């Protein structure tokens, strides 16, 4: 081998034109890339802002309700109810009030107070407010009382600044008598579905959602975490575990409607579980959420450094002690984040629940896991299809409730991650 | 942290278990279940609401909108707690559906007409104010008018008196009772008027020639969401929409009903029977469930009390049936008289 002399390296001449052009090009590429990234952020933020502005613009009105202060003289009303029976409470009182002819009394009172035809200014559910007022204070039956009852959809939208010609005169008359006010609609947060948009509530659907999520969490979390632990810590590396891994990844990508069909075939047609029940919805959504939890869990467990396992094993801990004393606590923040994100997805899911009948009209909130129920996204879907135009703002309001629940869940995920996360 | 999680999970499991036991014990059901037509759905909804308010101890009925065909399938699947008690129908039960019911043990079915609905053709307020006949609609919308594939592109192709705007109709999907009514009430009638040979055909060939709706884009299947059709019509004033009369009434400030054979869809023309697109609405009840499901009899009584001319259902958009029909229906319900299968088609 000959030692050929290495030619002396010329220092780069940064001032040549070719070199300057190259540098300019590099800087331009850098700027372009940064701008594209910025544009991507601006576009997605724009979409989010548009969504929020339209939803809040249409939906905040849905949280308010117009009420008419209706004077009723119960001593002269055409009804016979024994105040003592009402004061006794219970089913007897409820039944007595239900059959006392309150709808008629309420309508007559409106005609008397504001002139003939005024009964149409009241919501169809106005008498329910009267009923509840009497239930709260049976002494009302012996005197003249002023009760706040919900106004009809027309009056309601007129009071919120969207008047129809007929409603305008009615509104002026009511304002003249100082008998109308628009305030926060607490009933919207405490009642269930109804046919009249002025008396509907979201609580029935929200409770259905919570019950469904409860079943989902109960099933998907332990199964998902144990599957992840086994696959990471115990499973031998062979063809079978590869197959299982691929299957789980595929399962996480299966469209949700397929899980709905599965739920229909297995839980309803084979096991004969009740239709429309949160327990079936929860089981179906658990199937969908489980793979997400397994994948998140495996990643979290994988990121626990092997040195921790080795150290624990080295001082004599058994494998189960290693897992439960060291690996799982360290991986838990990651697992919880994955779980909550999976649950948030399940919360917004509609398609599989339609298949198992959770799209019904139910006028009372569910009282247990096997009671028929709907969930928030399905309620939004149902209201968007309603005939009465008063449901438009209620639909937006329901969307806001769903978004708030989702934001809370995601906020919880971030909080848990920050609180328990360990950095190495 | 782990321990509290485990504790939570176990206690929740226990809670769920006793809850399950409490409410499913014995497999009985303590609330009414209704499935079926989206057209009858709002009316049954209202009755259910009144039922809950008047009977405080009772559980709220569960009402699902599945379309008439889908509802019949669920309804006829058998007798027992897991099968619905009532099916809403925007057309009479078919003989084939009754056969399924009978095969599954639900032979005693009570039929009651609850009212009338009109399938309304409507256009936007600023539309061309098109006036159609049943024959025009048949020629424009049938898949094979007169046995040949439909080639009509504009309304002028169908009838030279009509404007030369493209045929574009938004309507319900094939699972809908409204679509069946379109075929029965409008297309079949138009077919018999224009095509003398059609009557001689056997029923399969008749259905193919007279009732099949074209699928080349002139008839747009808008799904079960009728609000969507209303929006589409506002965006496209040259298009026509087909839906239940209650939607036309609710959107009277946006839409205009299109007259058929010179009769516009209004409450009076539909109730009086002069509007060709009028159809009866039904509920079907399983007799075997009448005593098994608590509250079912009261629910039906509530229905009968609400469907009159001044009743709350009419306020919601139902068209009251003639008094004699309603009285007959109420009698059928209160006496639990099952329907006679030989009257079905």
């Amino acid at each position: 081998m000959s030692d050929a002399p290495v030619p002396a390296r010329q220092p780069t001449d940064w001032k040549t034109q070719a070199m300057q052009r190259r540098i300019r090009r590099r800087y331009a590429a850098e700027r372009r890339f940064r701008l594209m990234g910025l544009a991507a952020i601006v576009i997605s933020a724009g979409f989010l802002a548009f969504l929020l502005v339209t939803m809040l613009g249409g939906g905040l009105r849905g949280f308010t309700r117009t009420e008419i202060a209706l004077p009723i003289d119960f001593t002269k009303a055409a009804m016979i109810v024994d105040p003592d029976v009402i004061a006794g409470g219970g089913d007897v009182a409820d039944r007595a009030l239900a059959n006392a002819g309150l709808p008629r009394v309420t309508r007559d009172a409106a005609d008397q107070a504001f002139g003939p035809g005024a009964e149409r200014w009241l919501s169809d559910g106005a008498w329910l407010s009267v009923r509840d007022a009497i239930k709260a204070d049976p002494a009302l039956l012996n005197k003249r009382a002023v009760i706040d009852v919900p106004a009809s959809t027309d009056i309601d939208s007129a009071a919120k600044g969207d008047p129809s010609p007929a409603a305008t005169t009615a509104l002026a008359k009511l304002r003249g008598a100082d008998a109308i006010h628009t305030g926060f609609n607490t009933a919207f947060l405490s009642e269930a579905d109804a046919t009249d948009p002025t008396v509907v509530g979201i609580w029935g659907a929200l409770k259905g959602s919570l019950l469904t999520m409860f079943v989902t969490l109960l099933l998907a979390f332990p199964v998902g975490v144990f599957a992840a632990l086994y696959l990471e810590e115990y499973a031998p590396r062979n063809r079978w575990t590869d197959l299982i891994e691929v299957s789980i990844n595929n399962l996480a990508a299966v469209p949700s409607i397929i899980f709905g069909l599965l739920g229909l075939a297995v839980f309803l047609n084979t096991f004969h579980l009740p239709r429309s029940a949160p327990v079936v919805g929860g089981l179906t959504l658990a199937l969908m959420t489980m793979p997400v939890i397994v994948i998140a869990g495996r990643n979290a467990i994988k990121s626990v450094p092997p040195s921790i396992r080795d150290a624990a094993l080295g001082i004599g801990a058994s494998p189960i002690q290693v897992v439960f004393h060291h690996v799982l606590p360290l991986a838990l923040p990651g697992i919880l984040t994955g779980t909550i994100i999976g649950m948030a997805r399940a919360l917004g899911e509609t398609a599989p629940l339609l298949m198992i009948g959770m799209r019904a009209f139910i006028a009372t909130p569910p009282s247990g896991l096997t009671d028929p129920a709907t969930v928030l996204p399905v309620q939004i879907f149902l209201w968007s299809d309603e005939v009465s135009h008063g449901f438009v703002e209620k639909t937006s309001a329901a969307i806001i409730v769903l978004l708030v629940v989702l934001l809370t869940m995601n906020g919880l995920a971030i909080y848990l991650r920050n609180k328990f996360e360990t950095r190495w | 942290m782990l321990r509290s999680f485990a504790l939570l999970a176990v206690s929740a499991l226990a809670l769920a278990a006793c809850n399950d036991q409490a409410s499913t014990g014995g497999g009985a059901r303590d609330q009414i279940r209704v499935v079926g037509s989206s057209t009858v759905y709002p009316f049954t909804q209202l009755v259910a609401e009144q039922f809950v308010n008047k009977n405080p101890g009772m559980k709220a009925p569960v009402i699902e909108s599945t379309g008439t065909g889908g509802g019949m399938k669920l309804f006829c699947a058998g007798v027992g707690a897991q099968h619905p008690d009532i099916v809403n129908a925007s057309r009479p039960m078919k003989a084939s559906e009754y056969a399924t019911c009978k095969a599954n043990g639900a032979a005693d079915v009570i039929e009651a007409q609850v009212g009338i609905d009109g399938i309304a053709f409507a256009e936007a307020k600023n539309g061309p104010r098109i006036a159609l006949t049943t024959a025009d609609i048949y020629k424009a919308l049938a898949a094979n008018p007169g046995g040949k594939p439909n080639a009509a592109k504009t309304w002028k192709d169908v009838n030279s008196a009509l404007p030369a705007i493209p045929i574009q109709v938004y309507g319900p999907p094939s699972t809908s009772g409204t679509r069946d009514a379109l075929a029965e009430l409008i297309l079949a009638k138009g077919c018999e008027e224009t095509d003398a040979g059609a009557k001689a055909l056997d029923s399969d060939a008749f259905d193919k020639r007279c009732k099949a709706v074209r699928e080349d884009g002139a008839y747009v299947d808008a799904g079960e969401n009728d609000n969507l059709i209303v929006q589409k019509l506002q965006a496209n004033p040259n298009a026509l929409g087909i839906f239940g009369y209650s939607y036309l009434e609710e959107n009277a400030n946006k839409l205009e009903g299109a007259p058929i054979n010179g009769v516009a869809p209004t409450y009076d023309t539909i109730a009086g029977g002069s509007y060709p697109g009028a159809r009866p609405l039904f509920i079907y009840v399983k007799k075997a469930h009448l005593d098994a499901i608590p509250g079912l009899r009261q629910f039906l009584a509530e229905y009968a009390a609400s469907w009159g001319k001044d009743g709350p259902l009419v306020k919601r958009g139902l068209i009251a049936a003639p008094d004699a029909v309603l009285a007959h229906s109420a009698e059928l319900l209160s006496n639990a008289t099952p329907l006679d299968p030989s009257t079905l088609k």
Side-chain angles (χ1 to χ4, degrees), chain B residues 258-276:
Chain B
I260 300 180
N261 298 344
V263 185
T266 63
Y267 184 93
D268 294 329
T269 56
I270 295 171
S274 59
Y275 183 72

PDB file of all heavy atoms in Angstrom, chain B residues 258-276:
ATOM      1  N   ALA B 258     -97.522  21.604  -2.952  1.00  0.00           N
ATOM      2  CA  ALA B 258     -97.815  21.550  -4.387  1.00  0.00           C
ATOM      3  C   ALA B 258     -99.129  20.798  -4.604  1.00  0.00           C
ATOM      4  O   ALA B 258     -99.278  19.689  -4.105  1.00  0.00           O
ATOM      5  CB  ALA B 258     -96.677  20.853  -5.123  1.00  0.00           C
ATOM      6  N   PRO B 259    -100.087  21.413  -5.324  1.00  0.00           N
ATOM      7  CA  PRO B 259    -101.351  20.727  -5.525  1.00  0.00           C
ATOM      8  C   PRO B 259    -101.206  19.510  -6.440  1.00  0.00           C
ATOM      9  O   PRO B 259    -100.385  19.515  -7.362  1.00  0.00           O
ATOM     10  CB  PRO B 259    -102.234  21.792  -6.183  1.00  0.00           C
ATOM     11  CG  PRO B 259    -101.296  22.789  -6.735  1.00  0.00           C
ATOM     12  CD  PRO B 259    -100.048  22.738  -5.920  1.00  0.00           C
ATOM     13  N   ILE B 260    -101.958  18.455  -6.161  1.00  0.00           N
ATOM     14  CA  ILE B 260    -102.002  17.277  -7.026  1.00  0.00           C
ATOM     15  C   ILE B 260    -103.424  17.151  -7.546  1.00  0.00           C
ATOM     16  O   ILE B 260    -104.381  17.208  -6.762  1.00  0.00           O
ATOM     17  CB  ILE B 260    -101.596  16.016  -6.257  1.00  0.00           C
ATOM     18  CG1 ILE B 260    -100.178  16.179  -5.733  1.00  0.00           C
ATOM     19  CG2 ILE B 260    -101.693  14.794  -7.156  1.00  0.00           C
ATOM     20  CD1 ILE B 260     -99.695  14.996  -4.958  1.00  0.00           C
ATOM     21  N   ASN B 261    -103.562  16.989  -8.842  1.00  0.00           N
ATOM     22  CA  ASN B 261    -104.875  16.959  -9.496  1.00  0.00           C
ATOM     23  C   ASN B 261    -105.697  18.182  -9.082  1.00  0.00           C
ATOM     24  O   ASN B 261    -106.914  18.095  -8.896  1.00  0.00           O
ATOM     25  CB  ASN B 261    -105.652  15.684  -9.156  1.00  0.00           C
ATOM     26  CG  ASN B 261    -104.910  14.440  -9.641  1.00  0.00           C
ATOM     27  OD1 ASN B 261    -104.002  14.544 -10.471  1.00  0.00           O
ATOM     28  ND2 ASN B 261    -105.305  13.296  -9.149  1.00  0.00           N
ATOM     29  N   GLY B 262    -105.023  19.318  -8.884  1.00  0.00           N
ATOM     30  CA  GLY B 262    -105.726  20.552  -8.553  1.00  0.00           C
ATOM     31  C   GLY B 262    -106.095  20.714  -7.095  1.00  0.00           C
ATOM     32  O   GLY B 262    -106.699  21.712  -6.721  1.00  0.00           O
ATOM     33  N   VAL B 263    -105.730  19.749  -6.232  1.00  0.00           N
ATOM     34  CA  VAL B 263    -106.072  19.851  -4.818  1.00  0.00           C
ATOM     35  C   VAL B 263    -104.801  20.072  -4.011  1.00  0.00           C
ATOM     36  O   VAL B 263    -103.881  19.258  -4.061  1.00  0.00           O
ATOM     37  CB  VAL B 263    -106.775  18.565  -4.330  1.00  0.00           C
ATOM     38  CG1 VAL B 263    -107.228  18.747  -2.889  1.00  0.00           C
ATOM     39  CG2 VAL B 263    -107.945  18.223  -5.222  1.00  0.00           C
ATOM     40  N   ALA B 264    -104.744  21.179  -3.277  1.00  0.00           N
ATOM     41  CA  ALA B 264    -103.561  21.459  -2.471  1.00  0.00           C
ATOM     42  C   ALA B 264    -103.642  20.680  -1.163  1.00  0.00           C
ATOM     43  O   ALA B 264    -104.730  20.430  -0.653  1.00  0.00           O
ATOM     44  CB  ALA B 264    -103.472  22.954  -2.189  1.00  0.00           C
ATOM     45  N   PRO B 265    -102.490  20.281  -0.609  1.00  0.00           N
ATOM     46  CA  PRO B 265    -102.522  19.557   0.668  1.00  0.00           C
ATOM     47  C   PRO B 265    -102.819  20.498   1.830  1.00  0.00           C
ATOM     48  O   PRO B 265    -101.973  21.292   2.217  1.00  0.00           O
ATOM     49  CB  PRO B 265    -101.110  18.965   0.774  1.00  0.00           C
ATOM     50  CG  PRO B 265    -100.250  19.842  -0.066  1.00  0.00           C
ATOM     51  CD  PRO B 265    -101.116  20.402  -1.137  1.00  0.00           C
ATOM     52  N   THR B 266    -104.007  20.450   2.380  1.00  0.00           N
ATOM     53  CA  THR B 266    -104.349  21.216   3.580  1.00  0.00           C
ATOM     54  C   THR B 266    -105.060  20.262   4.528  1.00  0.00           C
ATOM     55  O   THR B 266    -105.394  19.134   4.144  1.00  0.00           O
ATOM     56  CB  THR B 266    -105.324  22.367   3.272  1.00  0.00           C
ATOM     57  OG1 THR B 266    -106.542  21.803   2.796  1.00  0.00           O
ATOM     58  CG2 THR B 266    -104.772  23.323   2.233  1.00  0.00           C
ATOM     59  N   TYR B 267    -105.293  20.719   5.748  1.00  0.00           N
ATOM     60  CA  TYR B 267    -105.955  19.861   6.735  1.00  0.00           C
ATOM     61  C   TYR B 267    -107.288  19.365   6.198  1.00  0.00           C
ATOM     62  O   TYR B 267    -107.601  18.181   6.246  1.00  0.00           O
ATOM     63  CB  TYR B 267    -106.164  20.646   8.037  1.00  0.00           C
ATOM     64  CG  TYR B 267    -106.750  19.800   9.136  1.00  0.00           C
ATOM     65  CD1 TYR B 267    -105.920  19.160  10.049  1.00  0.00           C
ATOM     66  CD2 TYR B 267    -108.131  19.610   9.250  1.00  0.00           C
ATOM     67  CE1 TYR B 267    -106.441  18.365  11.038  1.00  0.00           C
ATOM     68  CE2 TYR B 267    -108.650  18.810  10.236  1.00  0.00           C
ATOM     69  CZ  TYR B 267    -107.809  18.195  11.129  1.00  0.00           C
ATOM     70  OH  TYR B 267    -108.327  17.393  12.110  1.00  0.00           O
ATOM     71  N   ASP B 268    -108.069  20.293   5.622  1.00  0.00           N
ATOM     72  CA  ASP B 268    -109.427  19.925   5.209  1.00  0.00           C
ATOM     73  C   ASP B 268    -109.442  18.973   4.028  1.00  0.00           C
ATOM     74  O   ASP B 268    -110.226  18.027   4.001  1.00  0.00           O
ATOM     75  CB  ASP B 268    -110.220  21.198   4.876  1.00  0.00           C
ATOM     76  CG  ASP B 268    -110.441  22.038   6.111  1.00  0.00           C
ATOM     77  OD1 ASP B 268    -110.549  21.438   7.201  1.00  0.00           O
ATOM     78  OD2 ASP B 268    -110.474  23.272   6.004  1.00  0.00           O
ATOM     79  N   THR B 269    -108.574  19.219   3.030  1.00  0.00           N
ATOM     80  CA  THR B 269    -108.606  18.334   1.859  1.00  0.00           C
ATOM     81  C   THR B 269    -108.142  16.934   2.235  1.00  0.00           C
ATOM     82  O   THR B 269    -108.655  15.946   1.698  1.00  0.00           O
ATOM     83  CB  THR B 269    -107.711  18.875   0.729  1.00  0.00           C
ATOM     84  OG1 THR B 269    -106.387  19.048   1.232  1.00  0.00           O
ATOM     85  CG2 THR B 269    -108.232  20.178   0.175  1.00  0.00           C
ATOM     86  N   ILE B 270    -107.183  16.834   3.163  1.00  0.00           N
ATOM     87  CA  ILE B 270    -106.713  15.501   3.540  1.00  0.00           C
ATOM     88  C   ILE B 270    -107.750  14.791   4.405  1.00  0.00           C
ATOM     89  O   ILE B 270    -108.074  13.627   4.179  1.00  0.00           O
ATOM     90  CB  ILE B 270    -105.354  15.589   4.270  1.00  0.00           C
ATOM     91  CG1 ILE B 270    -104.294  16.122   3.300  1.00  0.00           C
ATOM     92  CG2 ILE B 270    -104.931  14.235   4.787  1.00  0.00           C
ATOM     93  CD1 ILE B 270    -102.982  16.448   3.933  1.00  0.00           C
ATOM     94  N   ALA B 271    -108.326  15.538   5.375  1.00  0.00           N
ATOM     95  CA  ALA B 271    -109.338  14.928   6.234  1.00  0.00           C
ATOM     96  C   ALA B 271    -110.560  14.526   5.416  1.00  0.00           C
ATOM     97  O   ALA B 271    -111.188  13.498   5.669  1.00  0.00           O
ATOM     98  CB  ALA B 271    -109.730  15.892   7.345  1.00  0.00           C
ATOM     99  N   GLY B 272    -110.900  15.339   4.429  1.00  0.00           N
ATOM    100  CA  GLY B 272    -112.091  15.064   3.641  1.00  0.00           C
ATOM    101  C   GLY B 272    -111.877  14.003   2.574  1.00  0.00           C
ATOM    102  O   GLY B 272    -112.829  13.526   1.967  1.00  0.00           O
ATOM    103  N   GLY B 273    -110.620  13.654   2.311  1.00  0.00           N
ATOM    104  CA  GLY B 273    -110.350  12.578   1.365  1.00  0.00           C
ATOM    105  C   GLY B 273    -110.223  13.041  -0.081  1.00  0.00           C
ATOM    106  O   GLY B 273    -110.009  12.224  -0.963  1.00  0.00           O
ATOM    107  N   SER B 274    -110.310  14.372  -0.351  1.00  0.00           N
ATOM    108  CA  SER B 274    -110.207  14.811  -1.744  1.00  0.00           C
ATOM    109  C   SER B 274    -108.747  14.898  -2.194  1.00  0.00           C
ATOM    110  O   SER B 274    -108.455  14.821  -3.375  1.00  0.00           O
ATOM    111  CB  SER B 274    -110.902  16.167  -1.931  1.00  0.00           C
ATOM    112  OG  SER B 274    -110.314  17.128  -1.098  1.00  0.00           O
ATOM    113  N   TYR B 275    -107.810  15.032  -1.269  1.00  0.00           N
ATOM    114  CA  TYR B 275    -106.393  15.058  -1.641  1.00  0.00           C
ATOM    115  C   TYR B 275    -105.935  13.632  -1.892  1.00  0.00           C
ATOM    116  O   TYR B 275    -106.155  12.757  -1.061  1.00  0.00           O
ATOM    117  CB  TYR B 275    -105.578  15.701  -0.510  1.00  0.00           C
ATOM    118  CG  TYR B 275    -104.102  15.844  -0.811  1.00  0.00           C
ATOM    119  CD1 TYR B 275    -103.656  16.778  -1.722  1.00  0.00           C
ATOM    120  CD2 TYR B 275    -103.169  15.030  -0.185  1.00  0.00           C
ATOM    121  CE1 TYR B 275    -102.313  16.908  -2.003  1.00  0.00           C
ATOM    122  CE2 TYR B 275    -101.820  15.153  -0.460  1.00  0.00           C
ATOM    123  CZ  TYR B 275    -101.402  16.101  -1.371  1.00  0.00           C
ATOM    124  OH  TYR B 275    -100.070  16.220  -1.647  1.00  0.00           O
ATOM    125  N   PRO B 276    -105.313  13.372  -3.063  1.00  0.00           N
ATOM    126  CA  PRO B 276    -105.010  11.977  -3.387  1.00  0.00           C
ATOM    127  C   PRO B 276    -103.951  11.336  -2.485  1.00  0.00           C
ATOM    128  O   PRO B 276    -103.917  10.126  -2.356  1.00  0.00           O
ATOM    129  CB  PRO B 276    -104.509  12.039  -4.831  1.00  0.00           C
ATOM    130  CG  PRO B 276    -104.272  13.462  -5.136  1.00  0.00           C
ATOM    131  CD  PRO B 276    -105.009  14.305  -4.149  1.00  0.00           C
TER     132      PRO B 276
END
